[in-house]
Amino acid sequence: MGLGKIGLPLAVQCARRGHRVVGADTDPAVVAAVNAGRAPFPGEPELDEPLKAAVAAGLLRATGDTTGAVAAAEAVVVVVPLLLDPAGAPDFAALDAATAAVAAGLRPGTLVSYETTLPVGTTRSRFAPVLGPGAHVVFSPERVLSGRVLTDLRRYPKLLGGLDPESARRGTGFYRSILDFDPRPDLAPRQNGVWDLGSAEAAELAKLAETTYRDVNIALVNQFARFADRAGIALDPVLAACNSQPYSHLHRPGIAVGGHCIPVYPRLYLWQDPDATVVSAARAANEAMPGYAVDLLARALGPLTGHRVLVLGAAYRGGVKESACSGVFPLTDALAAAGATAVVADPLYRDAELTALNLRPWAGEPVAAVVVQADHAEYAEVGPADFPGVRVLLDGRGITDPARWAGVRRIVLGGGTQG
């Protein structure tokens, strides 16, 4: 259930292992694309050919009839997103509807696996009662990134927790039957395969913990970057030095933390543990980074009122056409609040697509400053000649080549600038 950027590659992986797969989705355009053997989204490099092959072989088809598909299934995998409401609490509407549709077609003995990241206890307390006593229910979180889903399915252990031992046994057998684990001899024992964590709750917490850790780590490094800017210290060699021994795993600073996972899952954790001050402080620190970047820009350029500023990157990270929780939105808001006119360019997005995101496309007119928001590989090759009138570059990802920016003030977060 759910043929998005995580669900469709998983469906293709199941078909590659010889299973007969039905993908259910509420979007008719997605259903039509999949049945035509065409991915409804770009940017997943290993997906196109296996998708075509699976559809042509009759091993994969798509439908909008979830209940009918479930009625014929031995296993059901739910990959429907869980979003946040405006108050930061989980909005279960889509998952509740999906669970009801599953329950309406469920046969006794069917395995149901939730891969959507959930607050601890949700599988048992919210969804299992709707599914009824005849189902075998597990939680097995997805642990992949868009743009490399099929690779990540081979690379990392598949975590799992059941509502009871029989559910866990069936879930473990199912995932062993659909996944190809990396056979490299250098992998440490238990670094691969299916890991039964003993309960659905433990598996739910594992996913929240690993993603929340990343948010906290990035927040800490962002704090170091802000201090390094004040102290005139370049942070990159400091991070390299720290990470030269095995007990330090410091990430890199950045202008924003975006995507479906890292800005969202700490909120799911805080919903149940509001006293987790480390987590809440980290989330606040990361949310403050776009405003900090605009402040740095204003110190270098002067008051931003009346200036046109180009933001490079609508995507939340380089090489992936995905704008979920992208830093482009708080960044352009902060620029507007400072009086600037923010325009946006992204090699992955057409002007009409930017407009649909309520972003103003850049038409090539002169700009006073350029801000790198996403680390697209193309930005390592750009220079002042590409941006008429540019006086200041603020590289929020540390990807630009300083040699190409001679004559323009170049600011990098954590680069030792004092504004």
Side-chain angles (χ1 to χ4, degrees):
M1 289 192 64
L3 293 175
K5 295 187 177 182
I6 306 301
L8 181 57
L10 181 61
V12 169
Q13 173 62 30
C14 293
R16 288 207 302 192
R17 291 294 298 267
H19 297 280
R20 302 183 70 85
V21 185
V22 179
D25 200 281
T26 58
D27 187 340
V30 169
V31 171
V34 172
N35 283 332
R38 176 173 49 84
F41 49 81
E44 197 60 52
E46 294 186 55
L47 183 61
D48 291 346
E49 292 306 317
L51 171 59
K52 291 177 185 177
V55 172
L59 293 175
L60 173 62
R61 67 178 179 88
T63 181
D65 179 11
T66 296
T67 298
V70 169
E74 298 171 86
V76 179
V77 180
V78 181
V79 199
V80 175
L82 176 60
L83 305 177
L84 299 179
D85 66 18
D91 180 355
F92 289 104
L95 272 169
D96 285 344
T99 300
V102 171
L106 203 58
R107 297 179 299 165
T110 301
L111 173 71
V112 180
S113 176
Y114 286 87
E115 292 214 359
T116 303
T117 303
L118 300 172
V120 174
T122 302
T123 306
R124 188 183 304 273
S125 63
R126 189 179 191 100
F127 298 145
V130 177
L131 298 174
H136 298 290
V137 183
V138 300
F139 177 77
S140 182
E142 54 85 7
R143 308 178 74 206
V144 297
L145 279 180
S146 297
R148 63 182 206 200
V149 174
L150 291 166
T151 297
D152 285 350
L153 284 172
R154 297 188 294 269
R155 180 180 295 166
Y156 305 126
K158 192 72 174 93
L159 308 183
L160 176 147
L163 298 191
D164 52 70
E166 180 61 16
S167 293
R169 186 186 71 80
R170 294 195 180 211
T172 298
F174 167 70
Y175 280 108
R176 284 176 176 164
S177 78
I178 68 169
L179 297 176
D180 299 298
F181 292 109
D182 194 329
R184 290 178 299 158
D186 60 320
L187 290 177
R190 281 182 55 80
Q191 191 170 335
N192 225 320
V194 181
W195 294 17
D196 178 4
L197 297 189
S199 69
E201 290 78 9
E204 288 165 337
L205 179 57
K207 180 56 188 286
L208 291 177
E210 69 182 15
T211 48
T212 299
Y213 157 79
R214 290 173 61 194
D215 197 43
V216 172
N217 189 313
I218 294 167
L220 179 62
V221 176
N222 280 335
Q223 293 287 293
F224 291 156
R226 295 176 72 150
F227 174 79
D229 286 342
R230 295 195 303 271
I233 300 168
L235 188 61
D236 268 358
V238 174
L239 297 179
C242 293
N243 291 340
S244 66
Q245 53 93 345
Y247 306 107
S248 180
H249 309 281
L250 293 169
H251 293 350
R252 290 183 55 81
I255 197 168
V257 177
H260 292 282
C261 302
I262 306 306
V264 175
Y265 299 156
R267 293 293 181 193
L268 297 182
Y269 178 80
L270 286 167
W271 183 62
Q272 294 182 304
D273 188 8
D275 294 329
T277 55
V278 171
V279 178
S280 58
R283 188 84 292 274
N286 285 334
E287 289 176 349
M289 287 305 290
Y292 170 70
V294 172
D295 288 343
L296 285 182
L297 188 63
R299 290 179 213 165
L301 193 62
L304 299 182
T305 301
H307 285 304
R308 182 181 292 109
V309 177
L310 171 60
V311 177
L312 295 181
Y316 80 88
R317 67 180 173 92
V320 174
K321 189 178 181 180
E322 178 58 71
S323 62
C325 299
S326 172
V328 72
F329 302 113
L331 180 59
T332 53
D333 286 346
L335 286 167
T341 298
V343 292
V344 180
D346 189 304
L348 302 181
Y349 287 81
R350 301 187 305 273
D351 285 356
E353 293 174 313
L354 295 176
T355 301
L357 293 172
N358 294 317
L359 301 171
R360 181 174 176 176
W362 180 49
E365 63 269 42
V367 295
V370 171
V371 180
V372 177
Q373 190 284 132
D375 53 344
H376 292 311
E378 292 89 338
Y379 298 155
E381 307 297 325
V382 298
D386 298 299
F387 311 107
V390 64
R391 288 185 277 153
V392 177
L393 167 71
L394 196 160
D395 186 347
R397 300 294 179 182
I399 190 173
T400 58
D401 180 356
R404 293 176 178 268
W405 287 87
V408 172
R409 180 163 185 187
R410 178 176 176 270
I411 302 170
V412 179
L413 297 182
T417 180
Q418 299 185 56

